[in-house]
Each structure stands twice: as C-alpha cells, then as structure tokens.
C-alpha cells in the first residue's frame, strides 16, 4: 500500500481544524472509558473525595438527562466547533420554516459511522441552527449507555444530547409552549454497520416507534437527509451472512452499541487512520409533515403516516441529490 503523507507545515487554519476533529473523534471513541477509569482511580488516591462528591451529585441529578438535559450556550458556541465544521466542511440547508409554537420530531438519515452531521448541526451552533430556525431548541438522542458514564454525561448534556428512550423524548414533546426539535437518527447503531461510501440503504422499513410517538404527542415529523454522511469513513466489508457481520450484530444486541470496523486517514498521512476524510456533508432539513394528535393511534394510522414519511424522505433525496453529486441512477433503499 502506497502511503501518502500530509505536508509537514500545514497552514494554521488546517492545523486548528485537524485538532478540532481529533478532539471530536477522541470524545466519541475514548473519552467515555477514560472518564470511567478516572472516576474509579480517584477513589484510591488522596483525591477520593472528588469521586464521592461527584457520586452524590450524580445520584441527585440522575433524572436530568431524561428531563431535557442541561444545555450550555457557551459550550454550543465554542469556536472549536466552527473549526470542526470547516474541516469537512458541514452545511445545514433549510427548505421550510419550523413553527416555534409547535414541537417536532426530526428524523435524521443516514446514521453514518459517528453521525458527524447530526452532532455539528444540532449539538453546536457552528452551522447556525438558531439563526435558520429561530425559537427552536434542538435535542439529539443518544444511547442511554453514555449517560451512565461519570463526567462524560455532563459534557454531552451541555450540547443538547439526551437519552434515546421514550421517556426523554416524551418529556420534551409534552412542552405546551412548543419549540422542541427532537432529532432522532432513526436507523440507530445497527444502521452504522451498513455505512460506507456510496451506500444509500436505510434501516427504516420496520422502524415505526417514532411515528407512533409523534401521533401520541401531536408532534410534526420532519425528514432530514445528510448528503455525504457515509463518505467520511471507509468500513471493512461485512455483508450480511458473513461471520464478521454475525459477530457485530450479536455484540450490538448485547452491548447496545454497534462496532463497525472503520478507517479513513491519519494525522500525518492520508492512507490509513481514524481521522475522517475531508468530504463535504450537506444536511438538508425537509418540510414538516403535519400530524394530528391521537392518544391511542391504530396500526393503520401509524402505517399510513410511516408510509407518508418514507415518501417525503425519498422526495427530499430525489430533489437534492443532483446538487450534491449523487448519480441519477442512485435511489434510497429500505430494510
């Protein structure tokens, strides 16, 4: 394999962007276990009281993640995130207004490997969410596992991340004043196992829980397609039916976390590493689908709205794919 090295003297802007993306990758892949290790190691040092005080705080604050979290505008607006956005770069595209008196469920597709578009667009202000959608507050759902991690839970809540369970979403969607934009990567962790350049397969065919929740709470549905989300990492071939895919799926069911074997580039060379490629990501927010509230929706109502959602998502993809270099013969497929 021929290794292509990066220039030794990168411009300052490029160095800052690379540092920002390194921090982001480290946060997703290593920060959580490091926080666990730190918490337990402190117990056996003279700083043991730090862990005791934090454990007390953790118990007292245990319901916060399920009750909207604790967003920090200071953290969301850090210059660091702008460098992260510029690295790819990432752009948020608006196609219709969102009424701040209403609550919404925003379906994000595809999941990709590390949901770069969802994080940058909805957990930071790097792409101007509050300017594009005034009066709306975004919340991105994340696996509940991460909210059981000391220190790390407080960090991710500052960006607007909340647990991906019904209780957390329900709390926000019952806000009578409106303005809640609950962002769900519908395909979840299992979809990441199919994330690779050129892939347009979405895990959506039998995912109807978000539709039922939308009807029960009267929240309008908004489809989102993030062009380029699957392009920033390569993944080891793992077709369904292979031993590797079987192991990954079993681990996902046991641990709740998918383990795609992905790679891209390094810091000082472009041939191999865990740093994402510099590929643009365009996150297109579609128009809202009006939902009529019903406490006890029938299966027929859920299926009808689910089909409408798929149709609107397909239309969004077809309307914009030519702008973002997707071949004309490429279409969404659902599993």
């Amino acid at each position: 394999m021929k290794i292509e090295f990066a220039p030794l003297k990168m411009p300052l802007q490029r160095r800052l962007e690379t540092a920002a993306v390194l921090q982001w990758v480290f946060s997703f892949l290593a920060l959580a276990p490091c926080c666990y290790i730190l918490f337990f190691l402190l117990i056996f040092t003279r700083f043991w009281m730090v862990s005791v005080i934090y454990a007390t705080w953790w118990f007292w604050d245990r319901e916060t993640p399920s009750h909207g979290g604790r967003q920090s505008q200071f953290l969301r607006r850090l210059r660091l995130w702008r460098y992260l956005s510029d690295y790819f770069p990432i752009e948020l595209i608006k196609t219709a207004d969102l009424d701040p008196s209403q609550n919404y469920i925003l379906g994000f597709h595809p999941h990709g490997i590390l949901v770069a578009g969802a994080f940058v667009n909805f957990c930071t202000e790097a792409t101007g969410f509050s300017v594009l959608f005034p009066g709306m507050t975004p919340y991105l759902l994340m696996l509940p596992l991460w909210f059981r991690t000391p220190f790390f839970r407080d960090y991710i809540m500052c960006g607007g991340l909340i647990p991906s369970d019904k209780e957390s979403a329900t709390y926000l969607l019952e806000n009578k004043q409106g303005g809640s934009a609950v962002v769900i990567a519908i395909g979840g962790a299992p979809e990441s196992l199919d994330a690779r350049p050129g892939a347009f397969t979405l895990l959506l065919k039998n995912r109807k829980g978000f539709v039922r929740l939308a009807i029960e709470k009267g929240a309008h549905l908004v489809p989102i397609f993030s062009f380029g989300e699957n392009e920033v990492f390569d993944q080891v071939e793992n077709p369904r039916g292979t031993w590797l895919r079987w192991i990954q799926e079993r681990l996902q069911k046991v641990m709740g976390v998918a383990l795609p074997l992905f790679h891209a580039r390094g810091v000082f060379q472009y041939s191999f590493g865990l740093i994402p490629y510099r590929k643009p990501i365009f996150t297109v927010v579609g128009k809202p689908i009006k939902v009529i509230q019903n406490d006890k929706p029938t299966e027929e109502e859920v299926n009808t709205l689910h089909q409408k959602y798929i149709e609107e998502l397909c239309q969004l993809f077809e309307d914009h794919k030519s702008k973002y270099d997707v071949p004309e013969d490429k279409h969404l497929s659902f599993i």
Side-chain angles (χ1 to χ4, degrees):
M1 178 178 68
K2 183 180 179 181
I3 298 177
E4 183 182 353
F5 289 94
L8 291 178
K9 292 186 178 180
M10 293 186 291
L12 177 60
Q13 177 71 18
R14 286 244 166 178
R15 292 202 297 270
L16 292 170
E17 291 169 5
T18 302
V21 82
L22 273 170
Q23 180 272 339
W24 172 69
V25 171
F26 172 78
S27 294
F28 268 90
L29 300 182
L31 185 56
C34 286
C35 286
Y36 258 122
I37 293 170
L38 176 63
F39 178 79
F40 287 108
L41 284 181
L42 286 174
I43 296 175
F44 302 100
T45 70
R46 60 179 177 171
F47 301 107
W48 59 271
M49 187 57 71
V50 174
S51 292
V52 172
I53 292 173
Y54 184 82
T56 304
W57 156 258
W58 190 0
F59 177 79
W60 183 81
D61 193 55
R62 65 189 182 280
E63 299 296 333
T64 299
S66 298
H67 290 171
R70 188 168 42 246
Q71 287 198 25
S72 166
Q73 289 304 311
F74 171 77
L75 187 139
R76 286 176 57 86
R77 296 176 185 275
L78 285 177
R79 180 65 183 173
L80 170 72
W81 307 127
R82 185 62 193 176
Y83 291 131
L84 174 59
S85 175
D86 290 344
Y87 174 88
F88 294 94
I90 297 175
E91 184 177 348
L92 183 64
I93 294 96
K94 168 184 172 180
T95 63
D97 291 328
L98 298 184
D99 183 355
S101 68
Q102 298 286 337
N103 294 317
Y104 297 86
I105 293 179
L106 281 61
F108 184 88
H109 311 271
H111 182 283
I113 297 292
L114 294 181
V115 284
F119 178 82
V120 171
N121 287 311
F122 305 114
C123 295
T124 80
E125 283 295 330
T127 53
F129 179 90
S130 63
V131 175
L132 291 173
F133 302 102
M136 301 301 303
T137 303
Y139 301 88
L140 178 61
L141 270 63
M142 190 177 188
L143 287 172
L145 168 70
W146 303 117
F147 295 89
R148 304 187 192 108
T149 308
F151 308 120
F152 186 70
R153 68 187 286 276
D154 301 280
Y155 167 66
I156 58 179
M157 278 196 292
C158 287
L161 286 152
I162 61 171
S164 56
D165 53 41
K166 187 174 182 179
E167 178 187 357
S168 302
T170 297
Y171 180 87
L172 296 169
L173 297 175
E174 288 179 343
N175 178 14
K176 301 299 182 183
Q177 296 180 342
S180 295
V182 178
V183 184
I184 306 175
I186 306 297
E191 190 176 86
S192 67
L193 298 178
D194 289 311
R196 52 178 44 85
F200 296 101
T201 300
L202 304 180
L203 186 57
L204 180 59
K205 185 179 292 185
N206 296 313
R207 299 238 161 175
K208 301 178 182 179
F210 74 102
V211 174
R212 183 178 296 277
L213 181 61
I215 298 174
E216 290 174 350
K217 303 304 171 185
H220 298 337
L221 288 170
V222 181
I224 298 174
F225 195 86
S226 195
F227 292 89
E229 195 74 38
N230 283 339
E231 308 300 315
V232 297
F233 287 106
D234 291 317
Q235 184 172 178
V236 174
E237 290 296 326
N238 60 341
R240 295 175 185 276
T242 61
W243 66 268
L244 175 58
R245 186 55 171 261
W246 183 87
I247 292 173
Q248 289 175 319
E249 290 175 345
R250 292 303 177 275
L251 287 173
Q252 193 276 321
K253 289 180 180 179
V254 173
M255 301 169 59
V257 180
L259 296 174
L261 299 180
F262 64 92
H263 58 90
R265 52 160 289 191
V267 178
F268 302 110
Q269 44 77 30
Y270 297 135
S271 302
F272 188 82
L274 295 180
I275 308 300
Y277 297 121
R278 286 182 180 268
K279 298 289 184 68
I281 296 175
F282 302 96
T283 303
V284 184
V285 182
K287 62 182 181 181
I289 302 169
K290 187 175 181 180
V291 176
I292 299 175
Q293 195 272 335
N294 181 357
D295 290 332
K296 295 182 179 180
T298 64
E299 286 299 319
E300 183 180 358
E301 289 176 310
V302 172
N303 291 336
T304 299
L305 183 57
H306 183 261
Q307 183 58 38
K308 181 173 178 58
Y309 178 87
I310 290 178
E311 292 171 358
E312 290 291 337
L313 177 61
C314 288
Q315 190 61 54
L316 180 70
F317 177 80
E318 295 296 331
D319 288 346
H320 293 271
K321 67 181 184 181
S322 61
K323 302 175 188 176
Y324 307 119
D325 299 324
V326 177
E328 190 62 33
D329 61 346
K330 290 288 186 179
H331 307 283
L332 296 181
S333 60
F334 302 96
I335 54 175

